Amino acid sequence: KEMVENLGRSCSSAHALCRGMASSVSRFSSRTSRNETGGAELDAEVIGEAMVGASLGVLDDALQRAEKRIQTRVLAELDVEINRARELFAGLENRKKVVSDASRYRRRMDESYGGSGDTAGKLKAKEQELASISRELLSVLRKAVPKRAALIESCMLEVLLFQRGFFMESSKIIENLVDTLGSDRLAAYGRDLANGSSTSKVRSSAASA
């Protein structure tokens, strides 16, 4: 659950970052004309809007589908197992009480050198109850251990599939964004950045602003 919550916060932060950058570009564009920047601000606005749309797609679509899967196939199953474990713990607590009662009657027998017939009867009843509870708990545990192991394995696989599904869908959204903007443009920007020309362009734009 914490993993999903952290992933949600990460997606929300990424979306907020994209919105902030798009808003900054929009404010800059409103103070300048296309002639002053050679139309660069128009490209920046398009990129900003596309990034906001892509990050929103990850947040509202990919993440929600992934969360639904993890909720129904992992968290819900774990809740069922936790409830079963509570019943087992309740049985163990009841067994402790029976052990305590039997020990009390046994002390009475020891202290009174054999005790009364009533005490001996109560001790025998408690010992029989203890044996019955122990058999039931042992039967439950024998069934529960392999079920718990299978559940853990299933949850681990579901977490793996959850991650694969989320990141594959997110990747498709980003690929669509790249296709929208144009892979050639991004490749050219990468070459310019490697050559240092993009940095100089940014500094020049900032100086003129």
Side-chain angles (χ1 to χ4, degrees), residues 54-208:
S55 62
L56 187 61
V58 172
L59 186 63
D60 285 350
D61 296 332
L63 180 62
Q64 286 193 13
R65 274 190 283 273
E67 286 178 335
K68 184 177 180 180
R69 177 174 187 137
I70 211 74
Q71 178 64 46
T72 56
R73 301 192 182 187
V74 176
L75 299 181
E77 293 297 325
L78 289 176
D79 285 340
V80 172
E81 181 62 23
I82 288 172
N83 288 331
R84 280 199 293 260
R86 288 195 183 103
E87 295 176 2
L88 178 61
F89 291 148
L92 291 171
E93 287 299 320
N94 185 40
R95 184 182 183 280
K96 288 181 182 179
K97 183 178 181 301
V98 174
V99 169
S100 177
D101 291 342
S103 297
R104 186 173 68 254
Y105 292 135
R106 192 173 292 109
R107 282 195 304 271
R108 288 181 183 177
M109 294 283 290
D110 294 339
E111 290 169 357
S112 59
Y113 302 101
S116 64
D118 182 59
T119 301
K122 289 180 179 179
L123 174 59
K124 184 176 181 180
K126 285 298 177 181
E127 288 176 340
Q128 291 174 344
E129 184 181 359
L130 178 60
S132 176
I133 291 175
S134 298
R135 284 194 300 270
E136 291 176 3
L137 288 174
L138 185 58
S139 176
V140 171
L141 284 171
R142 283 172 175 166
K143 296 177 182 178
V145 170
K147 286 183 179 179
R148 176 68 64 88
L151 175 63
I152 293 173
E153 180 181 348
S154 174
C155 288
M156 292 173 67
L157 291 174
E158 281 296 336
V159 169
L160 179 61
L161 293 173
F162 152 80
Q163 293 182 83
R164 185 184 71 169
F166 171 75
F167 289 114
M168 285 181 65
E169 188 169 355
S170 299
S171 178
K172 289 179 181 178
I173 291 173
I174 300 302
E175 287 297 328
N176 290 337
L177 170 61
V178 171
D179 291 341
T180 299
L181 298 177
S183 56
D184 291 341
R185 174 191 293 178
L186 293 178
Y189 174 76
R191 289 192 296 271
D192 290 342
L193 188 62
N195 295 330
S197 57
S198 290
T199 304
S200 62
K201 288 178 182 178
V202 172
R203 290 175 178 172
S204 176
S205 297
S208 62

